[in-house]
Every structure is written in C-alpha cells, then in structure tokens.
Amino acid sequence: HMGVKGEIVLTDYLVYTQLGKTPDFTDYVESVKAGREEFGAGSLQIDTSKLDVSQPGVYSVIYNLQAENAYASIELLVVVEE
C-alpha cells in the first residue's frame, strides 16, 4: 500500500437486520481519517459480497478506503435474524 494508513470509525461494529432487509451501510460510518485529512462515507468502498440477507447467519461486511494517498479497512459484522 502507498500512503498513510487511515482509520475508519463506525458507530457500530455488530448490527442486526431482519431476513430480506439490507441495512444502509453508510449510516454506520462515523468518521474516516488519514493523517490530517478527513473523508466522507462516499469515499469508501463497501464490500457486501459475503452478505446474504436471504439466509439467517452472521456475515462480514468490509469497509475500504482507497484514496490517492491513504488506505484503511474495517469489518462490520451483520447478523441476519430469522
């Protein structure tokens, strides 16, 4: 990786959702910082490829920051309830 290792701060790191209901993952982003720079939630790539809201279970959603001069990632666990 090039650049500064940043930090993604979420409001929650474990969230619950109902079957068939996909949360709005940008809602959980509190701040994204790298060095003195602040980024908006829109600068994140949110990887939901492992999430299946049609099946109960615990899934991992990964938030990635890949800016020109900064990078960071954080995991959010999503529990899909029956």
Side-chain angles (χ1 to χ4, degrees), residues 39-58:
F39 299 88
S43 59
L44 296 174
Q45 286 87 42
I46 303 174
D47 178 0
T48 58
S49 61
K50 294 193 171 92
L51 175 65
D52 182 358
V53 292
S54 70
Q55 294 287 326
V58 182

Side-chain angles (χ1 to χ4, degrees), residues 20-33:
K21 194 163 182 240
T22 302
D24 182 350
F25 292 109
T26 54
D27 284 353
Y28 302 114
V29 178
E30 191 164 277
S31 67
V32 184
K33 295 189 183 108

Side-chain angles (χ1 to χ4, degrees), residues 16-23 53-54 79-82:
Y16 293 85
T17 190
Q18 301 302 312
L19 267 181
K21 194 163 182 240
T22 302
V53 292
S54 70
V79 179
V80 177
E81 298 183 297
E82 293 201 46

Side-chain angles (χ1 to χ4, degrees), residues 2-21:
M2 295 297 291
V4 182
K5 183 162 181 3
E7 184 184 23
I8 301 166
V9 178
L10 303 179
T11 56
D12 290 282
Y13 295 88
L14 174 66
V15 297
Y16 293 85
T17 190
Q18 301 302 312
L19 267 181
K21 194 163 182 240

